[in-house]
Amino acid sequence: MSREQAAAFLRALAVANPVPETELAYQDPFSLLVAVVLSAQTTDAAVNRCTPALFAAAPTPAAMAALGAEGIAPFIRRIGLWQGKARNVAALAALLVERHGGTVPADRAALEALPGVGRKTANVVLNVAFGESTMAVDTHIFRLGNRTGLAPGRTPREVEDMLVKRCPPELLRDAHHWLILHGRYVCKARRPECWRCVAIAHCNYRDKVLAPA
């Protein structure tokens, strides 16, 4: 897409959903951070079924660290990769207490130094919890960027950089939410539902599906 075409694509999504929000349930930066770590290779809905009980038992980093991996595990057994995630959540909670006084840092390097936190997770936390204009590229956004021509790239970082370059600055903070929701519910992996796409006029995908099966 041209820069103008990409802007038109994003503005069409913005008109359809003017106040986008994450679908992960959270109360504060710490619960958001934990929820995002748990959501890796797992649906937000599955995470949301586990976290209310977990956060009731351990609402703070100190309480979560005290639970430890063995105490966290029973709450998250229903989600994928739960053993590793239990270890990461326990370890990151302990580091938050040790290094940051029990608060989540609003700093990319400090976030990425925590167990289980990569660039995508840090981008989500910086965007949602701290209002920064970051672009977190997950599998939905990576697919959408390449399929539509909005931001083609071989890696998530290439797609992220292209999206940041092409997105109008005033739309950048919300663009992550628009794109992930569009990829999750409309521009689906197996069969995009192009007939429902509000941005179809600006999309370069050649094999558009113009009617339901």
Side-chain angles (χ1 to χ4, degrees):
M1 292 185 188
S2 67
R3 187 183 297 269
E4 294 74 20
Q5 189 179 358
F9 185 97
L10 290 166
R11 292 189 191 284
L13 299 182
V15 170
N17 184 11
V19 189
E21 295 180 349
T22 179
E23 293 189 318
L24 286 170
Y26 73 99
Q27 296 78 41
D28 51 35
F30 174 62
S31 58
L32 174 67
L33 173 61
V34 172
V36 179
V37 169
L38 295 178
S39 71
Q41 300 183 49
T42 305
T43 66
D44 289 0
V47 173
N48 290 342
R49 288 192 290 269
C50 297
T51 50
L54 174 62
F55 294 143
T60 66
M64 193 71 74
L67 273 184
E70 291 185 359
I72 294 167
F75 293 99
I76 64 171
R77 287 183 189 274
R78 291 178 290 173
I79 65 175
L81 307 175
W82 60 270
Q83 296 100 324
K85 291 176 181 179
R87 291 192 294 270
N88 283 337
V89 170
L92 75 82
L95 284 180
L96 287 177
V97 173
E98 177 184 333
R99 297 180 182 177
H100 304 287
T103 62
V104 176
D107 175 80
R108 178 185 299 283
L111 285 169
E112 291 187 17
L114 298 171
V117 179
R119 184 174 181 86
K120 185 198 78 172
T121 296
N123 276 338
V124 173
V125 173
L126 291 171
N127 182 297
V128 177
F130 299 112
E132 293 193 18
S133 295
T134 57
M135 174 58 67
V137 176
D138 70 346
T139 56
H140 297 296
I141 295 178
F142 183 79
R143 176 183 70 252
L144 191 152
N146 280 283
R147 174 186 280 168
T148 65
L150 177 64
R154 294 166 296 177
T155 65
R157 184 59 189 271
E158 288 183 3
V159 172
E160 176 187 338
D161 290 343
M162 182 66 76
L163 285 170
V164 171
K165 182 184 299 184
R166 290 186 165 186
C167 183
E170 71 276 10
L171 299 182
L172 183 54
R173 184 189 176 196
D174 287 335
H176 158 71
H177 299 294
W178 289 321
L179 293 173
I180 192 172
L181 293 172
H182 194 64
R184 184 175 291 166
Y185 296 114
V186 179
C187 197
K188 298 177 181 179
R190 292 185 179 181
R191 192 170 187 270
E193 298 180 0
C194 305
W195 69 91
R196 298 200 299 116
C197 179
V198 297
I200 189 171
H202 314 291
C203 175
N204 286 351
Y205 183 49
R206 294 182 177 179
D207 300 318
K208 292 183 177 69
V209 182
L210 300 179

